[in-house]
Amino acid sequence: MKLQKKPLAIALLATLSLPAWGEENHAHAHNESNEKQQHTQQPAPDDNAGHDSHDHGGASEDAHEEVTVLELTAEQQKMLNLQVITLQPKANATRTLTVPAEIISNQYRTWVVPVRIDSQVQSRSATLGQHMEKGEPIATLFSPAMAQLQSDLQVAADAWRRVNNLGRRTVGNQRYLDARGDYQALRARAKGYGLDDNAITAIEAGNSEKGVYTLTAPDDGLVLEDAFQQGQWLTAGSALVTLVDESELWAEAALPPSPGLQIATGTPARVIVGDTSVEGRVIQSGHRLNPVTRTLAVRVAIPNAGHLLHPGMFADVALSLAAPHGALTVPEEALTRSADGDWQLFVEEEPGRYKPVEIELHGQLANRRIVTGMEPGTRVVTRGAFFLASEMAKSGFDIHNH
């Protein structure tokens, strides 16, 4: 039974599928017939048609290039008050490079006042943030080592006075030299312990309290740090206070690495903090990149009359640098953005015809910007450039045909 039904099933399937197959072939033939008729009805192609089709890309570029040129009538130019300048390089020009910076203490005018011998703080005279003058007391301390020094120095001073009064011939050369040497050595040790001339004179006269001494400010300055308390024992070398003279501060600027960029010592600089602007000069320029920020450090010294600025403030530093030879500059109003965000200028091909050309900016020259990508003698639009860019944006022009 299976052998008998199998041929019958195959035949049935073939019969059912035949109309669809035949209809498909019929449609295919009909389409071929229509295509032949349409082909015969079309006019013979021109010999140049293939060539035009082949150069379609070039034609599109030509048409696109034409559409990027804006044309204005004389009346429109007058209405816009359109202004055009001719680019010419300036001799001995300078440019301004503005970079971020931080105000820091003048490290050359900063003093760390340490404890020179193991001592205990008895009382303090200086407070954090206080402006001190040279010789003002910072703290009074006690030290057994100081007591021994005071006794030895008083004895040596008395011996030296007697020998010196008697004279070298009377006491002999050796005794004279020994007395003077002992006295000078102990006096130098007292200075090494941080005593000033007035304190040493008081010790020699026997007017000092044994073991008690006072450390004073080595120069005028602000108490920037103090890390001691009354009654505290401090070991030799411990910092008592840090004083900084704020009459002159530093602005440490961070420059992005740029091949060939050199900031010479003495370069004029303007430090800007908010609405405050202070003129300074470069005193140091780094030659190695910061491993963390990947920037070059440039240090600017600035006067700080009236203590307007303080360490820790953020600022901008405007460096006055020599402009590249033959640099071309334009005012800010001449700059616009292209469709892809690049800077551009509108070049006057002829009066009334203006074409956008992309350029690159390379710093600032006074109130103008240095540009590259232009030749000297090129005429560019200044006033009215924004209007031309707006009209181009409305028309959907795209210079690069992205």
Side-chain angles (χ1 to χ4, degrees):
M1 288 300 292
K2 291 183 179 180
L3 293 176
Q4 292 178 355
K5 289 182 178 181
K6 188 174 181 180
L8 179 60
I10 294 174
L12 181 59
L13 291 172
T15 303
L16 292 174
S17 61
L18 180 60
W21 176 82
E23 185 177 347
E24 182 181 351
N25 285 340
H26 176 71
H28 180 68
H30 180 70
N31 291 337
E32 288 184 350
S33 176
N34 289 340
E35 288 178 0
K36 289 180 179 180
Q37 290 179 2
Q38 292 175 3
H39 183 71
T40 56
Q41 290 176 0
Q42 290 178 352
D46 190 1
D47 292 340
N48 295 329
H51 178 72
D52 291 343
S53 176
H54 180 70
D55 292 341
H56 177 71
S60 175
E61 290 177 1
D62 293 341
H64 181 72
E65 190 68 23
E66 182 179 355
V67 82
T68 61
V69 178
L70 299 179
E71 296 187 5
L72 297 179
T73 64
E75 183 178 355
Q76 290 173 326
Q77 298 176 49
K78 183 177 180 181
M79 179 182 65
L80 295 173
N81 193 19
L82 207 69
Q83 292 185 358
V84 180
I85 63 171
T86 302
L87 298 182
Q88 295 294 347
K90 292 185 177 181
N92 301 323
T94 58
R95 64 188 178 99
T96 301
L97 177 63
T98 303
V99 292
E102 180 182 359
I103 306 298
I104 63 174
S105 301
N106 184 339
Q107 300 299 313
Y108 299 158
R109 301 181 67 86
T110 300
W111 294 266
V112 175
V113 182
V115 174
R116 316 293 178 85
I117 51 177
D118 294 350
S119 305
Q120 183 184 30
V121 180
Q122 287 195 337
S123 63
R124 65 183 304 155
S125 302
T127 58
L128 189 65
Q130 177 183 348
H131 286 276
M132 306 195 69
E133 296 182 359
K134 182 178 181 179
E136 278 194 286
I138 296 174
T140 300
L141 306 99
F142 170 80
S143 172
M146 179 59 71
Q148 183 63 49
L149 172 66
Q150 290 168 336
S151 298
D152 294 344
L153 179 58
Q154 185 177 359
V155 172
D158 290 340
W160 167 243
R161 279 194 295 268
R162 289 194 302 270
V163 168
N164 190 41
N165 290 334
L166 293 173
R168 181 177 300 190
R169 290 186 178 181
T170 303
V171 300
N173 187 57
Q174 187 61 44
R175 184 181 175 189
Y176 181 89
L177 294 177
D178 289 343
R180 186 178 67 177
D182 292 342
Y183 169 69
Q184 291 178 343
L186 289 169
R187 186 180 177 88
R189 187 189 301 179
K191 283 185 172 292
Y193 285 174
L195 302 183
D196 57 18
D197 290 336
N198 292 332
I200 294 175
T201 301
I203 293 173
E204 294 175 358
N207 297 327
S208 62
E209 184 180 354
K210 292 297 185 284
V212 178
Y213 68 104
T214 300
L215 292 181
T216 58
D219 207 338
D220 298 348
L222 172 76
V223 180
L224 191 64
E225 297 177 3
D226 67 341
F228 69 96
Q229 298 176 344
Q230 295 180 135
Q232 181 179 358
W233 272 96
L234 301 174
T235 58
S238 300
L240 195 64
V241 296
T242 300
L243 298 177
V244 57
D245 182 3
E246 286 196 327
S247 63
E248 183 180 84
L249 296 176
W250 288 348
E252 195 160 271
L255 271 68
S258 178
L261 179 61
Q262 296 182 352
I263 311 298
T265 301
T267 298
R270 187 173 71 258
V271 178
I272 305 165
V273 181
D275 296 331
T276 302
S277 178
V278 182
E279 299 296 328
R281 59 182 179 84
V282 174
I283 60 171
Q284 186 178 3
S285 179
H287 296 278
R288 179 178 296 179
L289 291 179
N290 184 301
V292 178
T293 63
R294 310 304 297 171
T295 57
L296 286 173
V298 172
R299 191 167 287 167
V300 178
I302 49 175
N304 190 31
H307 300 283
L308 295 176
L309 305 179
H310 300 283
M313 288 182 170
F314 292 108
D316 288 322
V317 171
L319 299 168
S320 182
L321 308 176
H325 179 70
L328 301 176
T329 64
V330 296
E332 293 280 353
E333 61 181 346
L335 297 168
T336 59
R337 293 281 192 178
S338 64
D340 53 7
D342 293 326
W343 290 107
Q344 66 179 9
L345 295 173
F346 280 93
V347 174
E348 183 186 60
E349 293 187 329
E350 59 183 67
R353 289 176 57 85
Y354 308 98
K355 176 183 177 181
V357 176
E358 290 188 359
I359 50 87
E360 292 184 0
L361 299 182
H362 293 275
Q364 192 166 349
L365 181 59
N367 58 344
R368 300 166 69 90
R369 301 296 293 273
I370 300 174
V371 300
T372 56
M374 289 284 176
E375 294 294 331
T378 304
R379 290 178 58 78
V380 299
V381 178
T382 54
R383 183 177 300 171
F386 179 77
F387 172 81
L388 297 181
S390 300
E391 288 301 306
M392 178 168 290
K394 290 178 184 178
S395 304
F397 295 150
D398 186 352
I399 295 176
H400 295 294
N401 194 22
H402 291 326

